[in-house]
Every structure is written in structure tokens, then in C-alpha cells.
Amino acid sequence: MKRGSFVYHLGGYTFTFPYLLLFAVFLIGPLLFGLGLSFFSWEMLSSESPHFVGLDNYREALDDPYFWRALKATAWFVVLAVPFTIGTALLLALGVNALPKRQGFYRAAFVLPTMINIAVAGLLWRWFYNSEFGLFNAALNVKVPWLTSAELALPSIALMTVWWTAGGSFLILMAGLNQIPESVYEAGAIDGVTGLRRFFSITLPLLRPALFFVSIMGVIGSFQVFGQTYVITGGGPELSTRVLVQYIYETAFRNYRMGYGAAMSWLLFLVIAVVSAVQFAVNRKGEPK
């Protein structure tokens, strides 16, 4: 059997075929269907049959003030949630990694919130934030409108998101820290690299691939935020927490404007793709030559 022939690789193709089939049916297929749908006017409550409208759905989205307001709320959520999630995860990883024992207990404790269903976590935090009998106001002896103020609602949800998602980034950063050889620290100590200088000169540069990965995944996930805003505030007050995915959901599955919803979904995809490309470019530029 020749190396590189189809028969030689047949075993690999056989094992990957079930995944590729599901990938094509449940991801590539819906993506292409949604792309095609975005060029059609299809209102399910209308007696009019779907018809081709070209780029009209995209033009309508770009002229829609609710689209821009939802995109602005989404971008603000990304700015609030991603840096604080990564910062919290990094501090937790550094702290646990420095512990001489019981690291397993703290790993489990910090990862536990990520295993909670978003509906349960959202209801729990809605009670925490309740202005009348919530846990936070009672503990702090204040009366803060966490979820009823248009200025505070989205930052409050971002705080809940940090609690809910930091455990996943924490695990990845812990794995990155464990990959740094102890000999590098020992060599640095001989050269007098200790304390904060050790962190900025050794730990942070070597942890860069893990940090880049969690930042990419954090940005992509935050642009697709939906569950926590929908469960905790439903998009209010005054639409201050209605993010773009919720607006797309309401357009497509409440108002049954499938074509317009598909067009906004592809616009969101383009936004995520551009931001991710910028992140890759910045990361590549900062890599050591």
C-alpha cells in the first residue's frame, strides 16, 4: 500500500466521516440556507410567497435604528464582559497555581458556575439584583436599581457573565501556566528576575497563546450573548439590554420576518469576523521576531 494513497488514508476518512456528515448537515447547510434566505423577503404571517429582493434586507438593517441600538448594546457588553472575564480568570489562575496544595478543590469551585444552565443562573442573579428584596441590596444595605436603571442594567448583566464564564477561561490559563517549564523561572531567578518583573518578563509572554485563545473565544461568545439578557431583563429597561441576537430572534421568530432576520445574522457574522481578524493581526504584530 502506497503512503499517501486513498486506500492508505481510508481508515482516517472512515473515522471522520460521521463528524463531517453532521458538520455539513447541521452547520454548513443551515449557514448556506441562511445566506440564501437573507436575499429573500419571507414573512410567514403574510399570504405572499417568498420572493427574491436582493440586498434590500441588508439595506433595511443598515437604516434600522433598532438594529444599530442593539449592535451598540452588544458592543458595550463585549467591552464590559471580555476584559473583566479574562482579568478575573488570570488572577484566579495565578493564585491557584501558586498554592502548594488543594488546587483541585479550588479548580472545581471556580469551574462550577460554568456548569449551571443559563436559565437557572439568570433567575438566581435576577433575585440577587432585585431592588426590593435582593441579596446585594440587603448585604450592602443600599437600594440600587441594578436591573431597572438603563445605565446599570447591562453592566449588572456583564458582572453576572463574569461570574458565570470566568471558570472556563481559568481552566485554559491554568493549563497554560502548567506548560511553563520551572527551569525558565530558575534561570530568571539567577539573573535576578523576581516578583512583578518575573510575571511581566516570563509568565505573561509565555502565557500569550493561552491569553489570545481566551480573548478570541470571549469576544466571539460575547457578541452572541442572548441567554442572560433575555432571562434577566428581557431586553429592558428602555431596550438598554436588548442585544443583537435577541433582536434577530424577535424579528425572525416573533414577527416571523425570516429573510430580514437572516440578513441581520449575516451582518453580525461580518462584525465578528472583522473584530477577530483585527485581533489576529494585532497578535501577529506583537509576536517576537
Side-chain angles (χ1 to χ4, degrees), residues 1-119:
M1 184 186 305
K2 288 184 178 179
R3 189 181 181 87
S5 65
F6 176 77
V7 177
Y8 181 83
H9 294 293
L10 184 60
Y13 290 133
T14 304
F15 281 109
T16 56
F17 178 73
Y19 171 78
L20 293 176
L21 180 64
L22 294 175
F23 183 78
V25 171
F26 292 106
L27 187 65
I28 301 299
L31 274 175
L32 295 178
F33 180 74
L35 180 60
L37 190 60
S38 68
F39 298 110
F40 281 78
S41 174
W42 182 18
E43 301 192 16
M44 296 178 70
L45 294 181
S46 170
S47 58
E48 192 176 358
S49 58
H51 57 277
F52 184 75
V53 294
L55 296 174
D56 284 359
N57 286 325
Y58 291 93
R59 292 193 192 97
E60 182 180 348
L62 296 177
D63 291 333
D64 184 355
Y66 292 107
F67 169 82
W68 288 108
R69 183 166 186 175
L71 182 59
K72 183 180 175 184
T74 307
W76 181 226
F77 176 83
V78 173
V79 171
L80 289 172
V82 175
F84 283 103
T85 300
I86 296 175
T88 303
L90 180 59
L91 289 175
L92 292 176
L94 291 171
V96 172
N97 193 54
L99 291 175
K101 56 184 180 180
R102 292 186 180 177
Q103 288 192 6
F105 169 78
Y106 289 104
R107 286 178 186 172
F110 295 143
V111 173
L112 189 61
T114 64
M115 300 178 183
I116 300 176
N117 183 277
I118 184 55

